Amino acid sequence: EIKNPLTPMKLTLQHMQRLQAEGKLDDPNLLRKPIQTLIQQVDILSDIATSFSTFAKMPLPENEIMNFRTVVAEAVELFQNDERGHVVFYDSSEGEPLIMGDPKLFGRVIGNLIINGIQAVNDKRRAEIQVILTQEEDIMKLEIRDNGKGIDEELVDKIFLPNFSTKSEGSGLGLAIAKRGVETAGGKIWFNTRPGHGTSFFLSFQLLKTPDKQVKLN
């Protein structure tokens, strides 16, 4: 969980190194986004450091009205310079997709799922990650699809269990925290997998009603 924000931070710093090599480091317009990215990821690390003593002590998400498209787009943007894979965002949602949730937690969840998808692809292939935002009436659904090795049948029921991981590194809490955060916000999280072909993780949330552009909470 702590290591995941370090990946976009490293990519951002490498991007700044390239700007320095090209003599563009003095351009404030080129520096603004990398600096914002670093600050955002430092904030995430700070949040984790103050609350990640154990899974049982993880605080409840601080839910608020948020634009889900914005949260997804910002999470995807962090991986645009990732040389390990190609991350593409497809958006067919309409209007302003407002949902109730914790923006920082959801950004972290989406980022973790993208990283998991990249790591699921072996070194001989390039990771292709599709992040797909769709809308079905009043339900907002996000799919994060990878072209990795898939999940073996005997592991399917264990994926969301705390301390379970298919990787040699990591705490095994990422997906457990994702499930808790998503469900606390009233959403759903699940996955489909085909061993040898890849896995899709799904998040779905009820859209908030916005008559006359004014949000009303039932």
Side-chain angles (χ1 to χ4, degrees):
E1 191 75 5
I2 291 174
K3 288 179 181 178
N4 285 342
L6 297 179
T7 298
M9 291 177 74
K10 179 179 179 180
L11 293 170
T12 300
L13 290 171
Q14 289 174 333
H15 177 61
M16 294 176 73
Q17 281 183 325
R18 288 193 290 270
L19 291 178
Q20 182 183 40
E22 296 170 2
K24 300 178 180 178
L25 205 57
D26 294 331
D27 188 336
N29 292 323
L30 294 178
L31 284 176
R32 187 174 295 112
K33 179 173 285 187
I35 290 174
Q36 288 176 342
T37 296
L38 289 173
I39 292 174
Q40 181 184 34
Q41 296 306 299
V42 168
D43 286 342
I44 289 175
L45 285 172
S46 179
D47 290 343
I48 295 172
T50 56
S51 64
F52 197 66
S53 57
T54 65
F55 176 65
K57 293 181 181 179
M58 281 290 291
L60 291 175
E62 297 181 3
N63 292 335
E64 62 184 63
I65 296 171
M66 65 178 186
N67 187 315
F68 192 49
R69 180 189 297 116
T70 299
V71 174
V72 175
E74 289 178 351
V76 171
E77 179 68 27
L78 298 175
F79 296 90
Q80 294 307 296
N81 296 315
D82 196 325
E83 297 178 353
R84 298 172 302 169
H86 184 215
V87 183
V88 182
F89 180 30
Y90 299 101
D91 176 21
S92 63
S93 61
E94 303 174 357
E96 190 175 17
L98 299 179
I99 67 170
M100 183 66 72
D102 185 328
K104 289 185 178 179
L105 173 61
F106 283 8
R108 196 157 71 234
V109 167
I110 295 166
N112 287 354
L113 290 175
I114 292 173
I115 290 174
N116 287 347
I118 292 173
Q119 294 177 341
V121 180
N122 61 41
D123 295 335
K124 297 180 181 179
R125 292 191 299 156
R126 188 174 188 230
E128 297 289 341
I129 309 298
Q130 298 180 47
V131 181
I132 306 165
L133 186 62
T134 57
Q135 182 176 336
E136 299 176 2
E137 297 183 353
D138 60 346
I139 299 296
M140 183 62 53
K141 184 168 75 172
L142 180 70
E143 177 183 0
I144 299 175
R145 180 191 304 168
D146 67 55
N147 62 328
K149 59 188 177 183
I151 301 170
D152 293 337
E153 184 176 353
E154 63 269 21
L155 303 179
V156 166
D157 293 335
K158 301 178 181 179
I159 289 299
F160 291 112
L161 294 178
N163 298 321
F164 175 78
S165 177
T166 59
K167 297 177 287 187
S168 58
E169 299 177 349
S171 64
L173 289 176
L175 288 175
I177 292 171
K179 181 176 175 64
R180 178 175 176 178
V182 168
E183 293 182 348
T184 299
K188 298 178 181 179
I189 180 170
W190 71 98
F191 66 92
N192 292 330
T193 187
R194 292 179 61 200
H197 293 83
T199 301
S200 286
F201 275 87
F202 298 90
L203 309 179
S204 72
F205 301 93
Q206 183 86 31
L207 281 168
L208 297 177
K209 296 180 180 179
T210 57
D212 298 326
K213 298 183 180 180
Q214 297 294 318
V215 175
K216 286 187 178 181
L217 301 182
N218 294 326

